[in-house]
């Protein structure tokens, strides 16, 4: 019924649920108390995200608190959580932590909240985030004989057209129009970056896509350049791609990049992965993860 009767233009940011929270929060709070509907609620959460509900929206300061208890002994089992200020993900994580630390057994509820975290942070995706077969613009990229700007990288040179660089990045525009070396010689030094990462950055400028399968280190290099040179659309595409590349080995560098660059969705994905990974939790418990 929800899917059939919800208008296409519905404003998912409204906070008119009984909890005075956004709809994602309300679905989580309703679902955690109704184990018979857990599977249905998870399906609804996935649908809400696809329809545009924002997992980064925070509950307002006037949001109601949430109480949960065991029906047969509410006076000794009640767990209370303040909803205000929480995103949907932080709400699920905070509620799970509160239940697990309450001294009361809430196994079904905690399992449901773990599933909620997975749905919110890692929605199912069929297609790769960095598209393959980007189209005819790639031919312009391949016309290297017409390139007139050279990036001097840590392990070689990468070239591009100055007009594209200046149109894409306000920082590169200033550099290439200046009277400094970059402007006069059309050479830009990026000795801290591997050529593979610079090549990916340049390819993304031309096509918003790649024909290759870069590893996370290459994507992080390209992300750093896009962030440094203020190419916001490339930053978002690469940050989105990194969400699918989070593993035990890549967790720390990806999480550091997400934090330093203020990439909220990537930070959310890292937080969810870290919370669910036993090896990372063990390292954290023993103080062996960087702050």
């Amino acid at each position: 019924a929800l899917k059939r009767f919800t208008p296409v233009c519905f404003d998912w940011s409204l906070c008119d649920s009984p909890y005075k929270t956004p709809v994602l929060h309300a679905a989580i709070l309703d679902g955690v108390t109704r184990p018979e509907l857990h599977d249905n609620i998870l399906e609804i959460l996935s649908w809400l995200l696809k329809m545009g509900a924002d997992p980064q929206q925070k509950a307002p300061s006037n949001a109601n608190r949430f109480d949960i208890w065991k029906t047969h002994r509410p006076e000794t089992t009640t767990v209370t959580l303040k909803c205000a200020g929480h995103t949907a993900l932080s709400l699920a994580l905070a509620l799970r932590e509160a239940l697990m630390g309450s001294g009361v057994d809430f196994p079904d509820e905690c399992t449901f909240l773990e599933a909620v975290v997975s749905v919110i942070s890692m929605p199912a995706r069929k297609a790769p985030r960095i598209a393959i077969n980007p189209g005819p613009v790639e031919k312009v990229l391949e016309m290297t004989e017409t390139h007139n700007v050279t990036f001097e990288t840590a392990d070689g040179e990468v070239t591009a057209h100055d007009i594209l660089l200046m149109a894409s990045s306000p920082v590169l525009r200033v550099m290439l129009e200046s009277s400094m070396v970059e402007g006069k010689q059309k050479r830009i030094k990026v000795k801290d970056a591997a050529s593979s990462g610079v090549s990916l950055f340049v390819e993304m400028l031309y096509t918003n896509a790649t024909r290759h399968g870069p590893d996370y280190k290459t994507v992080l290099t390209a992300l750093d350049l896009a962030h440094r040179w203020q190419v916001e659309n490339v930053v978002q595409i690469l940050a989105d791609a990194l969400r699918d590349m989070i593993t035990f080995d890549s967790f720390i560098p990806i999480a550091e990049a997400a934090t330093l660059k203020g990439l909220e969705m990537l930070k959310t994905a890292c937080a969810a992965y870290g919370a669910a990974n036993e090896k990372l939790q063990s390292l954290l418990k023993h103080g062996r993860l960087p702050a």
Side-chain angles (χ1 to χ4, degrees):
L2 179 65
K3 295 180 182 180
R4 286 199 302 270
F5 296 113
T6 300
V8 174
C9 59
F10 185 78
D11 182 1
W12 296 108
S13 66
L14 294 175
C15 296
D16 54 3
S17 73
Y19 306 103
K20 297 182 180 178
T21 65
V23 64
L24 287 174
H25 300 59
I28 294 168
L29 297 176
D30 278 341
V32 76
T33 61
R34 306 176 69 181
E36 74 281 3
L37 295 179
H38 281 177
D39 288 343
N40 290 341
I41 296 295
L42 292 172
E43 182 181 350
I44 289 172
L45 286 171
S46 295
W47 178 78
L48 289 170
L49 290 167
K50 291 178 182 177
M51 291 297 292
D54 182 5
Q56 293 300 312
Q57 183 182 358
K58 294 181 179 180
S61 58
N62 66 337
N64 292 328
R65 73 180 192 182
F66 174 75
D67 296 317
I68 184 172
W69 59 85
K70 291 292 186 179
T71 305
H72 56 289
R73 46 193 178 99
E75 65 283 350
T76 59
T77 63
T78 297
V79 176
T80 298
L81 181 71
K82 293 181 179 179
C83 298
H86 277 296
T87 65
L89 179 64
S90 69
L91 180 77
L93 291 171
L95 182 54
R96 177 178 176 274
E97 182 178 358
L99 293 177
M100 293 183 69
S102 67
V104 183
D105 194 19
F106 287 99
D108 293 338
E109 293 82 354
C110 289
T111 299
F112 168 71
L113 291 169
E114 290 167 7
V116 167
V117 169
S118 296
V119 168
I120 294 175
S121 61
M122 297 288 184
R125 294 175 288 273
K126 299 296 184 181
R129 293 178 183 274
I130 303 181
I132 309 300
N133 300 322
V137 180
E138 69 183 87
K139 294 181 180 179
V140 179
L141 172 62
E142 293 171 353
M143 296 169 62
T144 55
E145 69 278 5
T146 67
H147 292 181
N148 57 357
V149 175
T150 300
F151 292 97
E152 299 178 10
T153 79
D155 58 345
E157 295 183 343
V158 176
T159 60
H161 293 98
D162 62 353
I163 189 170
L164 179 77
L165 298 176
M166 291 190 291
S168 303
S169 163
V171 178
L172 291 176
R173 184 185 186 98
V174 170
M175 293 170 66
L176 291 170
E177 289 183 338
S178 74
S179 58
M180 300 175 68
V181 173
E182 293 87 353
K184 289 182 176 180
Q185 300 182 10
K186 304 295 185 185
R187 299 186 72 86
I188 299 174
K189 292 184 179 182
V190 278
K191 295 295 187 178
D192 59 337
S195 60
S196 58
V198 179
S199 294
L200 176 59
F201 168 74
V202 169
E203 189 175 11
M204 297 299 293
L205 293 183
Y206 281 85
T207 66
N208 282 337
T210 181
R211 294 163 293 172
H212 312 289
D215 59 23
Y216 79 88
K217 293 180 180 178
T218 300
V219 177
L220 282 172
T221 298
L223 174 68
D224 184 64
L225 295 173
H227 185 267
R228 183 188 311 177
W229 291 329
Q230 299 178 18
V231 189
E232 292 303 320
N233 65 307
V234 174
V235 168
Q236 294 306 316
I237 293 171
L238 294 175
D240 204 25
L242 285 167
R243 290 172 59 196
D244 289 330
M245 297 182 172
I246 302 170
T247 64
F248 177 78
D249 291 330
S250 68
F251 174 81
I252 291 177
I254 291 178
E256 286 180 342
T259 301
L260 291 173
K261 294 174 174 58
L263 303 172
E264 295 302 324
M265 290 299 291
L266 186 55
K267 285 169 62 177
T268 295
C270 288
Y273 182 89
N277 187 279
E278 293 182 1
K279 292 174 68 176
L280 286 171
Q281 286 297 306
S282 177
L283 291 175
L284 181 63
K285 182 178 179 180
H286 293 90
R288 294 167 58 191
L289 281 179

